[in-house]
Amino acid sequence: MSITRVLPTRLSPFDDRAGEALVSHFKAVGPLLVCWFIALACPAQTKPVAERAADELIAREPASRWTLTTGSELDGLEAAWYNTADGNYFRYVKRTVDDYLAKQPVESLQGRAEEEATLGSQVLLLNRITLSPHYYQAANTLRQQLAASCGLSSTHNLADRADSSNTICAAAPFLAAYASIFHQPQDFAAILKSLLRWHDRVEQRTETRGPSASPEDDDLSEARLAVALVDTIGYFPAQDAGRIQLNLLLNKIAASLARRQDGKTGAFNETSRIPGKARTPTSFRNTCLYVFALLKGVRLGWIDQTYSSVADRAWQDIVNDAEAAHSGSGEFLLAATEAELAPTATLGRGNTVMIDAWFNSQLRKNAAGQTELFHYKWSDLSDSGYSLLGHLFRSFGAATDTLPSAPTRENLAHAQFYLIASPDIPVKNPDPHYMTEPDAAEVAGWVHDGGILILMQNDPPNADISHFNLLADKFGIHFDDVLHHHILGEHVEDGRIPVAAGGPLFHQAHTLYMKDTCAISVHGTGKALLTDRGDIVMATVKYGRGTVFAAVDPWAYNEYTDGRKNPQIYNQFDNFAGARELVRWLMEQHTGSKSENQKEAGSQ
């Protein structure tokens, strides 16, 4: 597979030599012209490198036994699925896990902590997506088996063994995810200790190993530690002091990689500090892990943006491999998925997208019998959730958060975006919080000061419309109490909404799907962004320094974006691609409001 670099942090597959020469000739005129020539020279059906690697991987038969390689491949496919919403990637992950669980119990992995951890991450993911309890039972068993070696007791209490044990726990991401999802905050102290010990061991082995020792052991350990850090930090509570310590460790590794980068090739050198010992590049797989950790750390705001260029140079060294012989590995796929997010990964940095959990505050029991929020929430990975929409915001470098209380200006002070979806009615929530005039005034004031408000309404039988219009009417947008796009069973034609290319919001053509909606009327400065069969489906208005976006349906939720639902029927729609364009447009509105604020400040 030949891969040629054409932009600072973006890879584009290019197999035609004439096309390569054309791009090379015109590089000097700037990125926009280069992109234009790429569009002309590349066949429209050519997939990005990460998707080609993922397709190559799922063309294989799933492994008959669970290994670290299996876990790495499925981690890569999970990342590719979240970037593309290609349901084939998810189905391969699920089939691989199901096949393994059908052949032998998870107890058979006991004593193989690394394999237990990778399987644990997958069954935990599948439980959150499908809500099937047998995945939770597998995750819980694996958590119990890993408890002692990682300083946790089997009864979910912190054990003092963590200070004296010499065992390095590679299960930190899985254990942190479990602790966050199933409300075990006492586990975080032991997880922190295990990661600190892991880092200390890397430092000690680097300083003391003899000239004949293989650098691979140390580099593998540090590379995997870097990945464990970026996959763990986000699960630590925001106010937990351990989160700061893990950030410092990640920054220390990033700084070390920058110092160890070869000035000519971009490769990372191994970590040996033995005097007189020649420095050699890290392995292909470990370099991929480093690239993934650096780019994800930059995107999520945990390390400085300058490390993006460090990772980019290393990534270019990887893809300059003539045949990219290891492109089908899980490590390569992880790196490729982050590399393809890199061009826009910092556009939303410093911004927070707050989702409402007050007007829509529906609750359910999780697999452990605990109460949790669901329905249009970032944390809800099932059909009803907004986890993929949250990923799209985070792919631009924005942070996502949840507001479980009324939206006062104080509560919204650190948010730049606020999303309210399908406000509750009694049939959905026996004690709904209806929009009030004081609530509407608080939100309107926040928008006037520069906030971006996103209103995703629903059809009258499923959401409150009358009270909610107290807010919408302030902006010249009104949700009409009608039922449109009504769907019976899987007769989906009435939900088909064609979108032409070249519009103010959607630059590309799409076919969206919206099931059972209301409609929108606008007055004043409100204007339509998308219409269907004479109805306004999406609208916007500028309000003070802020912007309001309104839609007649919460159309970007997982059921119709993640590619799992009956592909023979629903693959004709591309809500995920449409949602990506919406997120881009929203980011542009906030950039515009910042520019206007700066102009106004400069004129005062």
Side-chain angles (χ1 to χ4, degrees):
M1 178 171 62
S2 173
I3 306 171
T4 300
R5 180 173 175 76
V6 292
L7 287 174
T9 53
R10 183 70 177 263
L11 293 173
S12 185
F14 228 131
D15 294 322
D16 183 80
R17 291 186 179 180
E20 291 180 334
L22 196 60
V23 170
S24 177
H25 179 72
F26 283 95
K27 261 186 181 178
V29 302
L32 291 178
L33 194 54
V34 171
C35 288
W36 183 72
F37 276 110
I38 292 170
L40 290 179
C42 288
Q45 69 271 22
T46 300
K47 289 186 175 183
V49 61
E51 290 182 58
R52 285 192 280 164
D55 290 346
E56 177 185 329
L57 202 156
I58 65 172
R60 309 171 189 165
E61 282 298 314
S64 59
R65 60 185 297 267
W66 196 272
T67 65
L68 281 177
T69 298
T70 308
S72 175
E73 290 173 349
L74 298 193
D75 285 344
L77 285 172
E78 176 193 342
W81 174 52
Y82 258 66
N83 273 10
T84 63
D86 187 330
N88 290 320
Y89 303 152
F90 170 82
R91 282 183 278 275
Y92 183 92
V93 170
K94 185 175 183 299
R95 179 161 65 96
T96 302
V97 173
D98 287 346
D99 286 351
Y100 178 79
L101 294 180
K103 291 174 184 175
Q104 57 193 85
V106 295
E107 288 86 352
S108 64
L109 287 177
Q110 190 159 12
R112 296 160 56 193
E114 294 167 322
E115 286 87 346
E116 288 181 276
T118 58
L119 179 58
S121 294
Q122 295 303 324
V123 292
L124 192 55
L125 173 75
L126 289 171
N127 169 252
R128 298 180 70 192
I129 293 169
T130 68
L131 305 180
S132 297
H134 73 282
Y135 294 122
Y136 166 72
Q137 292 161 6
N140 188 51
T141 298
L142 289 163
R143 191 261 174 216
Q144 303 298 331
Q145 291 174 189
L146 286 162
S149 63
C150 295
L152 309 176
S153 79
S154 59
T155 56
H156 296 187
N157 295 317
L158 179 62
D160 294 333
R161 290 190 298 274
D163 286 325
S164 59
S165 171
N166 289 322
T167 302
I168 293 178
C169 178
F174 163 59
L175 293 173
Y178 189 101
S180 175
I181 295 162
F182 298 116
H183 312 298
Q184 304 296 333
Q186 69 280 356
D187 286 358
F188 287 108
I191 295 168
L192 171 65
K193 289 179 182 179
S194 72
L195 288 167
L196 293 173
R197 190 183 311 110
W198 189 346
H199 179 263
D200 289 344
R201 184 72 62 82
V202 170
E203 292 283 288
Q204 293 166 8
R205 293 177 64 184
T206 300
E207 294 286 358
T208 60
R209 79 170 173 223
S212 61
S214 168
E216 182 72 10
D217 293 337
D218 287 340
D219 282 325
L220 177 60
S221 183
E222 187 187 57
R224 290 183 51 246
L225 171 60
V227 171
L229 289 169
V230 296
D231 286 347
T232 299
I233 292 172
Y235 290 114
F236 268 63
Q239 306 306 317
D240 194 308
R243 189 167 179 145
I244 297 175
Q245 291 181 265
L246 297 181
N247 258 319
L248 290 173
L249 282 191
L250 183 61
N251 276 271
K252 187 175 181 179
I253 292 173
S256 172
L257 287 169
R259 290 192 300 269
R260 289 154 41 197
Q261 189 165 42
D262 187 284
K264 293 182 179 180
T265 67
F268 297 129
N269 289 313
E270 49 112 333
T271 57
S272 174
R273 300 189 188 104
I274 305 297
K277 182 175 175 62
R279 304 185 75 183
T280 57
T282 57
S283 71
F284 180 94
R285 290 175 183 266
N286 295 336
T287 304
C288 287
L289 293 178
Y290 283 132
V291 167
F292 168 78
L294 289 175
L295 290 178
K296 185 173 180 179
V298 168
R299 178 169 62 82
L300 296 178
W302 296 330
I303 56 177
D304 192 85
Q305 297 182 45
T306 56
Y307 291 117
S308 181
S309 61
V310 174
D312 180 62
R313 293 186 62 228
W315 177 241
Q316 179 56 30
D317 184 58
I318 291 171
V319 298
N320 278 342
D321 183 320
E323 298 298 329
H326 301 277
S327 62
S329 73
E331 295 85 356
F332 179 89
L333 186 51
L334 283 170
T337 55
E338 284 297 332
E340 289 175 2
L341 295 178
T344 59
T346 59
L347 294 182
R349 187 160 177 163
N351 294 325
T352 296
V353 187
M354 188 78 76
I355 200 162
D356 160 69
W358 179 254
F359 302 109
N360 183 314
S361 57
Q362 296 174 43
L363 299 172
R364 69 183 177 196
K365 296 288 187 181
N366 65 20
Q370 301 161 331
T371 300
E372 66 179 12
L373 287 163
F374 82 110
H375 210 204
Y376 311 126
K377 300 295 180 286
W378 310 134
S379 58
D380 182 359
L381 275 63
S382 67
D383 283 350
S384 60
Y386 265 156
S387 59
L388 258 72
L389 182 60
H391 171 73
L392 287 173
F393 279 110
R394 291 188 294 274
S395 73
F396 282 83
T400 52
D401 203 352
T402 301
L403 183 61
S405 55
T408 63
R409 284 206 203 190
E410 181 181 2
N411 287 340
L412 291 171
H414 77 281
Q416 288 69 45
F417 301 83
Y418 179 44
L419 193 165
I420 309 174
S422 189
D424 290 336
I425 55 177
V427 71
K428 298 290 185 179
N429 183 344
D431 187 22
H433 298 122
Y434 290 128
M435 180 69 65
T436 66
E437 183 58 43
D439 292 332
E442 290 281 318
V443 176
W446 172 81
V447 174
H448 191 274
D449 291 343
I452 309 296
L453 178 64
I454 308 158
L455 304 177
M456 300 281 209
Q457 197 35 282
N458 212 329
D459 60 293
N462 283 291
D464 170 58
I465 292 180
S466 59
H467 297 90
F468 199 63
N469 274 327
L470 289 173
L471 175 62
D473 286 343
K474 288 186 176 294
F475 310 113
I477 292 172
H478 186 84
F479 292 105
D480 300 327
D481 194 351
V482 296
L483 176 60
H484 289 179
H485 302 101
H486 184 47
I487 305 297
L488 295 175
E490 291 190 330
H491 298 285
V492 299
E493 284 307 307
D494 282 342
R496 178 189 299 273
I497 300 178
V499 179
L505 193 165
F506 298 107
H507 295 177
Q508 307 297 322
H510 300 284
T511 303
L512 303 182
Y513 180 71
M514 297 188 190
K515 175 182 178 180
D516 294 356
T517 75
C518 61
I520 288 175
S521 300
V522 296
H523 58 273
T525 58
K527 62 181 181 180
L529 282 172
L530 180 65
T531 61
D532 178 62
R533 287 165 264 184
D535 291 333
I536 297 176
V537 174
M538 297 180 185
T540 189
V541 64
K542 293 290 184 182
Y543 186 78
R545 296 175 179 173
T547 302
V548 178
F549 168 84
V552 298
D553 190 71
W555 59 280
Y557 56 103
N558 295 342
E559 184 175 8
Y560 299 110
T561 58
D562 69 12
R564 294 192 302 118
K565 190 177 180 70
N566 196 339
Q568 292 183 335
I569 295 177
Y570 294 98
N571 274 3
Q572 61 186 299
F573 306 111
D574 62 342
N575 283 23
F576 181 79
R580 182 189 286 116
E581 288 221 65
L582 172 62
V583 170
R584 170 198 50 75
W585 182 85
L586 290 167
M587 291 294 164
E588 290 171 354
Q589 306 317 299
H590 188 255
T591 301
S593 70
K594 286 194 294 186
S595 299
E596 291 301 315
N597 291 348
Q598 290 166 355
K599 288 179 185 178
E600 185 171 322
S603 65
Q604 293 176 348

